[in-house]
Amino acid sequence: MNVMVRSSAGLKAPEKFFIDGEWVRPLSSRTLDVISPVTEERVLSYPEASPADIDQAVAAARVAFDKGPWPQFSPTERARHLRKVADHLADRLEDIAQAWTLQVGAPISLTRYLVGQNPTLFRYYADLIETYPFIDERQRDDGGRVRVVKEPVGVCAAITPWNAPLVLLSYKVAAGLAAGCTMVAKPSPETPLEAYILAECIEKAGLPKGVFNLVPAGRESGDHLVRHRHVDKVAFTGSTAAGKHIAAVCAERLARVSLELGGKSAAILLDDADFGAALPSLMIYTMPITGQVCFSLTRVLVPERRRQEFLDLYLGAVKGIRVGDPFDPQTQMGPLTMARQLERVQGYIAAGRAEGATIACGGGRPAGFTKGYYVEPTVFTDVEPDMRIAQEEIFGPVVSVIGYRDEDDAMRKANNSSYGLSGAVFTADAERGYAVARRMRTGSVTINGMVVDPKHPFGGFKQSGIGREGGPEGLDNYIETKTIHFA
Ligand code: NAD
């Protein structure tokens, strides 16, 4: 098994699943398609895991957890294996970037830049567990000894979306394996290829059988996985709607669950901000991957009195974005990933118009594109905070520029959201920015830029999720605490 993705002509479609350390034939004849967002044509078909295949994967993960040796390995031994996985991933970075661009339409310059996060995550968690306090000696008031031990939560399902397929899987698999859990990965049906590359790297790294299992599938089999009584924990990244459903299913049997969900993040430009200095960050992070990133800064809050100054600068830059073939290294924005995404984004653009917002640029199909799920980078002004385009996650290159009177008004508008994932504050005074960041009801905020670093926690307040990924907090997701008293 070797997924080569350098060109779609030479692409080898996956034919099997990775279960119990083996490449296993599917139990059903169900298939899924990968569609090119550029040509709208099928790139390949591959098998979809049925509930029976999922049962096999869960059974393998269950045995690997209950009988070991993975959970019983010392942290140093697990770290050694994780570093091998990282080394193999590092050898496959170009394949991972090509697969990401092929399936998602993300520009190759961006995917090449970002893929290094995958080995970084495996190395980070390898290093962390070598110093993590898995056993903490304490004393009771009566003088007796207590050992508080951190144990792996068990068999974990990792369910991931299509926009950043491997990074979002690596967050879960690296942390879960580091903790001593065993994993069943169900990537998004539209983007299976990178998960296959990860499975190949794990196979080469020689992890024990059943520790990592790969079963790509759609919602129905995904639901079967979430309901499975042998799955102790579900780690989910995806839409808030699916996240609520999964949380409800897990609540029924009190399975552990962590959720990384949608966002509607705000960039607040304070009245003392240097707009020119803020522009490069805004150009990358208001519409990354054609706006299909959970932490996109899709609401830009500007002081009323400097609104025109900002629009002159920002609209000029947005109109200059090079939209094109994502495999062209010069392209800054590719197409949306799939037909339903194009329909969704066009629907929101129509809704914004209908609600009375003004399209300051974009709004249609870019000139010269007869095929592909392309949409122009679009900026709305005259946006009222309660309009749908200001409240709902569009997941496309559509930004609302919203004016504010003073800092309190900015805070009210920024926090007027059911989401709370991310945000940014731009200011000449970093401590003033920190004070504003503390008032934002979001899981992360960057002052004068936008940073998402796998070595630090990331996740949402409110309907953007429960739990954190990345950093030591990301390891805690996969840990149960056991208290052992010496009476
Ligand atoms: P989605 O919720 O439709 O699907 C995500 C994954 O869950 C897919 O693998 C899908 O097959 C599976 N799934 C869907 N319903 C399921 C169910 N009932 N049971 C089990 N599995 C199920 O989301 P999407 O369209 O693939 O991704 C886009 C969404 O992901 C956006 O809302 C975006 O904000 C969010 N996202 C969040 C983060 C984050 O870290 N917070 C990161 C990336 C994307």
Side-chain angles (χ1 to χ4, degrees):
M1 187 72 206
N2 192 14
V3 179
M4 291 299 296
V5 288
R6 293 265 152 79
S7 74
S8 60
L11 194 67
K12 189 172 176 312
E15 291 169 359
K16 297 179 180 174
F17 308 130
F18 188 64
I19 298 175
D20 205 19
E22 308 282 342
W23 292 98
V24 174
R25 288 205 176 281
L27 294 173
S28 82
S29 54
R30 297 176 182 204
T31 56
L32 291 164
D33 294 333
V34 172
I35 307 289
S36 161
V38 176
T39 64
E40 304 182 25
E41 284 164 13
R42 189 173 65 191
V43 175
L44 56 84
S45 291
Y46 71 99
E48 177 184 16
S50 65
D53 297 300
I54 300 267
D55 287 346
Q56 286 203 333
V58 174
R62 186 78 261 165
V63 171
F65 186 79
D66 292 344
K67 302 214 165 122
W70 186 254
Q72 290 80 34
F73 275 171
S74 68
T76 306
E77 182 68 357
R78 282 203 298 275
R80 194 176 64 76
H81 282 88
L82 294 181
R83 290 194 184 100
K84 278 196 196 165
V85 176
D87 290 345
H88 290 299
L89 282 170
D91 288 343
R92 300 291 301 274
L93 292 184
E94 181 61 15
D95 280 344
I96 298 166
Q98 297 268 342
W100 193 349
T101 295
L102 179 76
Q103 300 164 114
V104 175
I108 191 75
S109 55
L110 184 67
T111 58
R112 282 186 178 138
Y113 174 70
L114 293 173
V115 286
Q117 289 188 349
N118 297 297
T120 296
L121 274 158
F122 280 85
R123 289 202 180 103
Y124 169 71
Y125 281 110
D127 292 348
L128 183 71
I129 55 175
E130 288 188 315
T131 55
Y132 186 83
F134 281 100
I135 302 174
D136 188 21
E137 297 276 356
R138 302 183 192 175
Q139 267 212 323
R140 280 194 313 274
D141 286 352
D142 67 4
R145 285 188 297 134
V146 184
R147 249 173 232 165
V148 177
V149 295
K150 304 287 184 180
E151 297 193 348
V153 86
V155 173
C156 300
I159 300 180
T160 45
W162 45 265
N163 58 337
L166 190 54
V167 176
L168 298 171
L169 188 59
S170 290
Y171 268 104
K172 296 169 179 55
V173 175
L177 295 184
C181 295
T182 58
M183 312 285 299
V184 177
K186 191 214 80 63
S188 196
E190 296 86 358
T191 54
L193 296 178
E194 296 95 316
Y196 273 94
I197 295 172
L198 175 61
E200 289 166 5
C201 292
I202 286 176
E203 182 187 27
K204 275 193 172 171
L207 268 66
K209 282 153 62 105
V211 166
F212 174 83
N213 305 274
L214 172 62
V215 275
R219 267 165 207 230
E220 186 202 332
S221 295
D223 197 51
H224 183 75
L225 177 61
V226 171
R227 290 177 192 280
H228 207 294
R229 69 191 175 93
H230 287 313
V231 171
D232 299 304
K233 183 215 156 77
V234 178
F236 173 78
T237 300
S239 61
T240 294
K244 285 180 183 173
H245 172 78
I246 286 169
V249 171
C250 289
E252 187 60 35
R253 59 188 185 87
L254 285 180
R256 277 45 181 160
V257 63
S258 50
L259 304 168
E260 296 284 342
L261 308 177
K264 190 76 191 174
S265 299
I268 305 178
L269 286 90
L270 294 181
D271 52 10
D272 64 355
D274 176 343
F275 290 176
L279 194 63
S281 295
L282 294 174
M283 291 314 297
I284 298 172
Y285 291 107
T286 52
M287 306 176 181
I289 313 189
T290 322
Q292 301 171 117
V293 171
C294 55
F295 57 77
S296 304
L297 299 168
T298 50
R299 296 180 296 145
V300 180
L301 303 188
V302 291
E304 289 287 5
R305 65 179 181 80
R306 294 184 66 193
R307 182 172 167 276
Q308 198 52 51
E309 178 197 344
F310 175 73
L311 284 175
D312 290 346
L313 208 62
Y314 182 61
L315 294 177
V318 170
K319 285 175 190 163
I321 290 174
R322 280 194 298 275
V323 177
D325 177 352
F327 278 103
D328 179 345
Q330 301 305 315
T331 291
Q332 293 171 314
M333 185 178 288
L336 291 160
T337 301
M338 58 195 82
R340 73 166 193 273
Q341 270 294 102
L342 181 60
E343 215 173 287
R344 175 188 173 100
V345 172
Q346 286 171 336
Y348 275 109
I349 293 172
R353 275 200 176 104
E355 284 179 303
T358 304
I359 293 194
C361 77
R365 196 175 170 81
F369 289 87
T370 51
K371 262 190 316 193
Y373 307 124
Y374 286 94
V375 66
E376 283 180 307
T378 299
V379 178
F380 275 106
T381 55
D382 304 316
V383 179
E384 295 300 327
D386 290 324
M387 287 180 179
R388 283 184 62 207
I389 54 166
Q391 285 295 326
E392 295 176 20
E393 184 183 50
I394 298 174
F395 226 51
V398 182
V399 169
S400 293
V401 175
I402 301 170
Y404 70 81
R405 288 189 309 279
D406 54 27
E407 211 171 284
D408 283 343
D409 190 35
M411 293 318 309
R412 249 190 318 276
K413 285 175 171 161
N415 288 332
N416 176 15
S417 174
S418 56
Y419 293 109
L421 190 58
S422 187
V425 187
F426 293 89
T427 172
D429 176 351
E431 284 309 316
R432 183 178 172 208
Y434 174 77
V436 169
R438 291 299 303 265
R439 293 175 70 189
M440 290 172 83
R441 298 284 300 153
T442 64
S444 60
V445 185
T446 306
I447 295 155
N448 289 328
M450 184 73 190
V451 178
V452 177
D453 178 344
K455 297 181 181 175
H456 298 279
F458 179 82
F461 283 22
K462 301 193 266 185
Q463 295 199 19
S464 288
I466 297 176
R468 295 292 177 271
E469 289 191 332
E473 292 79 359
L475 186 69
D476 294 342
N477 265 338
Y478 298 90
I479 296 276
E480 291 277 18
T481 299
K482 179 184 285 178
T483 309
I484 302 175
H485 290 280
F486 292 80

